[in-house]
Amino acid sequence: MHDRTLKRIFILAGIALILWVLYLLKPVVVPFIGAFLLAYLFSPIVEKLDKVLPRWLAIAVVFIGIGVVLTWAMWFVVPLVWKQLIYARDSIPGGIHWVNSTFLPWVSQTFNVERMELDTDQISKVVMEYVQTNYSADSIQAMALKIAQSGLSFISVGGTIVLIPIIAFYFLLDWKRMLTSMKDLIPRAYEASTLKIVGECHSVLGAFVKGQFLVMFLLGVIYAVGLQLIGLEVGLIIGMVAGLCSIIPYLGFGVGIIAAMIAAFFQFGLDWTHFALVGVVFLVGQLMEGYILQPFLLGDKIGLSPVAVVFAVLAGAQLAGFMGMLIALPVAAIIVVLLKHAREWYEQSSLYQAPTATVVVENNGNSHTVSIESAQVDLDLEIKNPQDNDETKPNNDPL
């Protein structure tokens, strides 16, 4: 028992040390995690093409296909997005004029406050005075240094984006060998149960990821079409952004409805009809997501309540920032599978089972063992001596 305890302590200490080192190397590890997830997503397609093509060519075909799809999407979407951005820029002066001529007078009359106006020239002058007063030459140099550091960070992010597909290519090239090596590390006594758990995690995670991407795409279409139908000029870009943001639960709805309300405000002014129509579009989107898209495309893949989903997303954001928010639900899906098996093990353990009482009963020279599972066993035993039987008692009656 002493050796077993020390062994477990060393194993836990080793796991904790590995996790601590990975945390320290987080900037280096993140591209490899992203590449592994990318390889995991497209490994089924590569496996199918591997049957008719060399593996390196199958991987190249998959990556070229992804590039073609992204290029086609950008070729189609970028002009529309650019057009709507130009419209948003041109509508800013009209929005400022509406605020000065309509909104601020209404606020002044309704709440009985002093009337004010937005003067763009005065705002620009105040900003320039603030910069000249609070930022000296040294501050300008520091600002230039920060801008240069931001440029280096941008280059670093660009390098990471380029590095991820390259690492994913090599992951896919050695995918089978890597999985075989991992399988060989499993202790033989736990191989069957471990492979069962891994298989369940794989099926849950694969179904969830595929379903989530379909939900994102369809929600983006619903939001974009709905906002375009009610006449919102920038409805396409808002709908697309809301659909992409829906990879994080409730974020797409929040970002989309706020952006759409602001866009409707600048385009139509204080028009409650269009505000209501924007609300109807996003309400329909939420109903479609909750009662059609998620039940049919996702089902109950995670098994988490809405409160647990919000907690998982916030915990992921706290631990790993934006990347943590992205992977919070897939990680939660795996944790649910592990907790299910942990609960099964616990319910079958002696810690959960009721204590067993063993009673040996002898009858005519034959012994029988009886196990009684109860926390409290009340036995009402009457022990009789054959000599105390009435038939064998001596008759002392004088009569």
Side-chain angles (χ1 to χ4, degrees):
M1 183 179 295
H2 178 69
D3 293 338
R4 183 181 300 176
T5 303
L6 284 178
K7 183 178 179 181
R8 292 176 179 176
I9 291 174
F10 280 123
I11 291 173
L12 293 176
I15 294 174
L17 179 62
I18 292 173
L19 293 177
W20 180 66
V21 171
L22 291 177
Y23 178 78
L24 294 179
L25 296 176
K26 184 170 63 173
V28 180
V29 173
V30 167
F32 288 87
I33 295 176
F36 182 82
L37 294 177
L38 186 65
Y40 174 78
L41 288 176
F42 293 101
S43 60
I45 304 175
V46 173
E47 295 298 332
K48 292 181 180 179
L49 293 177
D50 190 24
K51 298 177 181 178
V52 295
L53 296 174
R55 190 167 185 85
W56 67 270
L57 184 57
I59 300 171
V61 168
V62 171
F63 276 62
I64 291 172
I66 296 172
V68 169
V69 171
L70 291 177
T71 303
W72 175 81
M74 292 179 66
W75 187 270
F76 174 74
V77 171
V78 167
L80 296 176
V81 173
W82 187 258
K83 180 180 177 181
Q84 296 196 0
L85 288 175
I86 291 176
Y87 172 82
R89 182 203 64 184
D90 295 339
S91 64
I92 291 177
I96 294 175
H97 175 71
W98 181 87
V99 169
N100 287 330
S101 62
T102 305
F103 179 70
L104 291 178
W106 175 81
V107 171
S108 177
Q109 294 177 2
T110 304
F111 298 99
N112 195 21
V113 295
E114 183 180 357
R115 183 173 176 176
M116 61 176 294
E117 289 186 357
L118 294 179
D119 188 351
T120 55
D121 295 334
Q122 185 67 23
I123 293 174
S124 301
K125 182 179 179 181
V126 170
V127 171
M128 291 302 298
E129 289 179 354
Y130 177 82
V131 171
Q132 293 175 358
T133 304
N134 295 277
Y135 293 93
S136 60
D138 295 335
S139 301
I140 293 175
Q141 292 178 358
M143 185 182 300
L145 181 60
K146 289 183 179 180
I147 293 174
Q149 291 176 349
S150 300
L152 293 175
S153 300
F154 181 78
I155 294 174
S156 176
V157 171
T160 302
I161 294 174
V162 174
L163 186 62
I164 286 176
I166 297 174
I167 300 174
F169 180 88
Y170 287 106
F171 271 144
L172 287 171
L173 197 62
D174 296 335
W175 192 256
K176 292 182 180 179
R177 184 184 62 81
M178 184 171 58
L179 293 182
T180 303
S181 301
M182 292 181 180
K183 181 180 176 182
D184 292 339
L185 292 175
I186 303 174
R188 301 298 95 184
Y190 303 102
E191 182 178 4
S193 58
T194 302
L195 291 179
K196 179 183 177 182
I197 295 173
V198 171
E200 290 184 13
C201 292
H202 171 70
S203 62
V204 169
L205 188 59
F208 170 75
V209 171
K210 295 173 185 176
Q212 185 64 41
F213 277 110
L214 284 175
V215 169
M216 287 168 51
F217 173 75
L218 294 176
L219 269 181
V221 171
I222 292 171
Y223 290 147
V225 172
L227 294 176
Q228 288 291 115
L229 288 178
I230 66 174
L232 198 64
E233 294 290 341
V234 291
L236 177 63
I237 184 172
I238 292 176
M240 290 171 51
V241 171
L244 290 174
C245 291
S246 63
I247 190 173
I248 301 172
Y250 311 111
L251 180 63
F253 173 79
V255 170
I257 194 169
I258 292 173
M261 288 291 185
I262 294 173
F265 173 75
F266 278 106
Q267 182 176 346
F268 304 108
L270 197 62
D271 189 343
W272 299 107
T273 301
H274 282 89
F275 288 164
L277 290 175
V278 168
V280 168
V281 169
F282 282 90
L283 178 61
V284 170
Q286 286 298 296
L287 292 176
M288 292 285 289
E289 180 185 8
Y291 292 98
I292 297 178
L293 298 180
Q294 285 193 353
F296 285 96
L297 298 177
L298 286 175
D300 193 14
K301 300 300 181 184
I302 302 182
L304 293 177
S305 65
V307 175
V309 169
V310 174
F311 175 80
V313 172
L314 295 178
Q318 180 66 28
L319 294 174
F322 182 72
M323 182 62 70
M325 296 175 70
L326 291 179
I327 65 174
L329 289 188
V331 171
I334 296 175
I335 292 176
V336 167
V337 175
L338 297 178
L339 289 178
K340 183 186 72 172
H341 285 275
R343 178 173 179 174
E344 292 177 357
W345 173 84
Y346 166 68
E347 290 179 349
Q348 295 173 1
S349 66
S350 60
L351 182 64
Y352 178 79
Q353 298 289 339
T356 302
T358 303
V359 179
V360 178
V361 179
E362 293 188 1
N363 184 16
N364 296 327
N366 297 324
S367 62
H368 302 279
T369 302
V370 180
S371 297
I372 304 174
E373 295 184 359
S374 175
Q376 294 180 351
V377 181
D378 294 330
L379 297 178
D380 185 9
L381 299 178
E382 181 181 356
I383 302 176
K384 294 184 178 181
N385 193 338
Q387 285 76 14
D388 295 336
N389 197 312
D390 292 337
E391 297 178 357
T392 59
K393 283 184 178 181
N395 191 0
N396 297 326
D397 189 355
L399 299 176

